Amino acid sequence: MIPLLEQTPDQLRDWFTQHGESAYRAGQVRRWLLQKRAVDFEQMTDLGAALRELLAGEFQIWTTRVAAHHESPDGAEKLLLELGDGQSIECVLLRDDKEHCTACISTQVGCAMGCAFCATGIDGFVRNLTAGEILEQLLQIQKLLSPVGGDSRRRSGTDSDIGDRSRLLQERSKGERLSNIVVMGMGEPLLNLDSLLPALSEATDQRGLGIGVRKVTISTVGIPEGIRRLARDDCQYHLAVSLHAPNDELRNRIVPANRGFGVAAIMAAADEYFERTGRRVTFEYVLLADVNDRPEHAEQLVRLLRGRPALVNIIPYNPVAGLPFQTPASSVTARFVEQLTTGGLNVIIRYRKGDRISAACGQLRRREKRTGKRE
């Protein structure tokens, strides 16, 4: 069977013409999958029955299966997807009070960056995802979205949970659609651009998912050559650099991949990205208690970023079982943020969503592998 989402639009058009059908049928199939949320060929009612049967005999729409699905009262939903080769990846749906629906997707099985505080890197790198596997995560997340009229699924839970969910269902009564994509799941996106960029091209095509390019964020540990490639291609995606430390000595300890290039090279590439695209770069900084949250670290970060058109995203750490790092006290976080703002930096704090469903990348996959549990 041929994975349908691995076919480029040209390849799909060629298949139809080779089978005596009009090339425009390829566009019909893509619209059913990407816009109308069809889950099988039988739902594609503007295709003849014989053609639907032929398609079902040659192509498979789904190469992943949902191995686990967890929901949080705050609207977050996390999927553990089992791939065709038995490996697994994670993707997350995040909702906010502005009716935004954001898909957080993965680009690799595992990760080779080895960040000391990250659950994904504990098991190491396995392989890159294909463009189809990346795109399929978005379609799996689309299945979670409420259609017009709201989501009528019955759910169990505590009275508090049910109340929260009831309010969420009321808010979703007009239907939901994906509005944003963040490439912040498992893996280092800039080491798999050959698969990621075609998948994002489909997602941002108005004939595809129709998500605006400026609603897509790519998060990277900071691969200078990958950043420069995005700059050369004039990608208008939002770039987020996971900095986590203001100097090489500390960053080498918590982000070992930094030894291969260093903070100065990352900053130079980020500057080039801004100069070529006009897109302000975000620098993400996970606060680890008593590791990178001290006043001297804030002072160094101010010196590093002051004068750059940058945004600093402070992220209090989401603890991972088996790792020694902890979340700083709220007073420490407040002090750190105050130092940055006083120093002239633009700062936001990312408050965690989905804690109760192991929403940090890699957590659910590790838990399921450790317990052998499937839901």
Side-chain angles (χ1 to χ4, degrees):
M1 299 284 281
I2 304 169
L4 181 59
L5 292 175
E6 299 294 353
Q7 300 295 294
T8 67
D10 285 343
Q11 288 174 326
L12 199 54
R13 282 191 290 268
D14 288 344
W15 184 90
F16 277 103
T17 57
Q18 289 166 8
H19 287 77
E21 296 283 345
S22 298
Y24 76 85
R25 296 291 191 190
Q28 288 179 296
V29 170
R30 303 299 273 196
R31 279 193 297 276
W32 275 108
L33 286 177
L34 301 177
Q35 296 180 0
K36 299 183 180 182
R37 307 184 191 180
V39 298
D40 57 45
F41 291 109
E42 281 304 305
Q43 292 178 304
M44 302 180 186
T45 52
D46 55 358
L47 304 179
L51 180 54
R52 295 199 302 270
E53 184 177 353
L54 180 61
L55 286 165
E58 294 213 17
F59 293 99
Q60 63 179 125
I61 296 176
W62 305 104
T63 64
T64 64
R65 75 171 188 89
V66 178
H69 173 210
H70 295 283
E71 298 177 82
S72 173
D74 63 14
E77 300 189 50
K78 186 163 194 175
L79 296 177
L80 182 72
L81 300 180
E82 185 176 293
L83 305 173
D85 62 358
Q87 298 294 335
S88 58
I89 56 172
E90 299 173 2
C91 54
V92 182
L93 169 63
L94 299 170
R95 297 178 172 96
D96 66 18
D97 56 6
K98 298 178 182 178
E99 299 184 357
H100 294 152
C101 294
T102 299
C104 179
I105 59 174
S106 299
T107 55
Q108 297 177 322
V109 180
C111 185
M113 298 297 95
C115 297
F117 53 84
C118 178
T120 298
I122 294 175
D123 296 324
F125 172 75
V126 179
R127 68 172 176 87
N128 284 328
L129 297 181
T130 66
E133 288 168 336
I134 294 173
L135 188 58
E136 190 167 330
Q137 291 173 76
L138 297 173
L139 299 191
Q140 290 281 17
I141 289 174
Q142 271 204 146
K143 290 183 187 179
L144 305 176
L145 300 181
S146 303
V148 174
D151 184 350
S152 61
R153 290 176 296 171
R154 296 179 61 87
R155 294 178 171 91
S156 60
T158 65
D159 289 344
S160 174
D161 288 350
I162 292 171
D164 288 339
R165 288 168 179 165
S166 177
R167 284 189 291 275
L168 283 169
L169 294 182
Q170 291 175 7
E171 292 167 3
R172 299 177 205 169
S173 62
K174 295 181 181 179
E176 296 178 306
R177 64 177 297 274
L178 280 181
S179 57
N180 300 72
I181 298 172
V182 291
V183 189
M184 294 183 179
M186 296 168 54
E188 168 49 57
L190 299 195
L191 293 181
N192 192 18
L193 286 176
D194 288 343
S195 292
L196 175 62
L197 293 181
L200 290 180
S201 179
E202 287 273 14
T204 56
D205 191 322
Q206 290 306 305
R207 296 165 296 182
L209 293 177
I211 297 172
V213 292
R214 289 174 175 257
K215 300 294 185 180
V216 177
T217 298
I218 299 175
S219 179
T220 174
V221 77
I223 309 295
E225 182 50 41
I227 295 173
R228 286 193 289 269
R229 176 176 169 182
L230 293 178
R232 287 194 302 269
D233 291 349
D234 193 27
C235 290
Q236 287 295 304
Y237 304 129
H238 185 67
L239 180 67
V241 176
S242 297
L243 193 60
H244 309 320
N247 61 69
D248 282 327
E249 180 181 1
L250 178 57
R251 197 166 195 266
N252 288 347
R253 283 170 40 207
I254 60 178
V255 185
N258 187 68
R259 299 187 183 101
F261 30 81
V263 171
I266 295 171
M267 300 309 298
D271 290 344
E272 180 179 339
Y273 187 81
F274 173 75
E275 290 166 5
R276 290 200 176 214
T277 67
R279 300 285 279 145
R280 179 176 68 171
V281 176
T282 293
F283 291 92
E284 298 175 310
Y285 197 101
V286 170
L287 275 184
L288 307 167
D290 300 318
V291 176
N292 64 351
D293 62 345
R294 297 170 185 162
E296 59 266 31
H297 299 140
E299 181 182 345
Q300 292 168 18
L301 192 57
V302 168
R303 289 201 300 267
L304 180 67
L305 297 179
R306 185 160 44 198
R308 287 185 160 94
L311 177 67
V312 183
N313 190 352
I314 296 298
I315 310 167
Y317 182 60
N318 191 352
V320 174
L323 295 182
F325 302 100
Q326 299 297 323
T327 307
S330 58
S331 58
V332 173
T333 299
R335 181 193 65 199
F336 195 91
V337 169
E338 183 179 9
Q339 276 192 263
L340 299 186
T341 55
T342 301
L345 301 186
N346 295 311
V347 183
I348 61 171
I349 301 176
R350 185 197 301 171
Y351 294 101
R352 300 197 300 265
K353 291 177 71 72
D355 289 22
R356 292 164 64 175
I357 56 169
S358 302
C361 62
Q363 286 188 342
L364 180 59
R365 177 172 176 262
R366 277 192 57 76
R367 193 180 80 185
E368 301 290 327
K369 286 178 66 177
R370 188 170 61 248
T371 64
K373 179 181 177 183
R374 288 287 184 269
E375 297 182 3

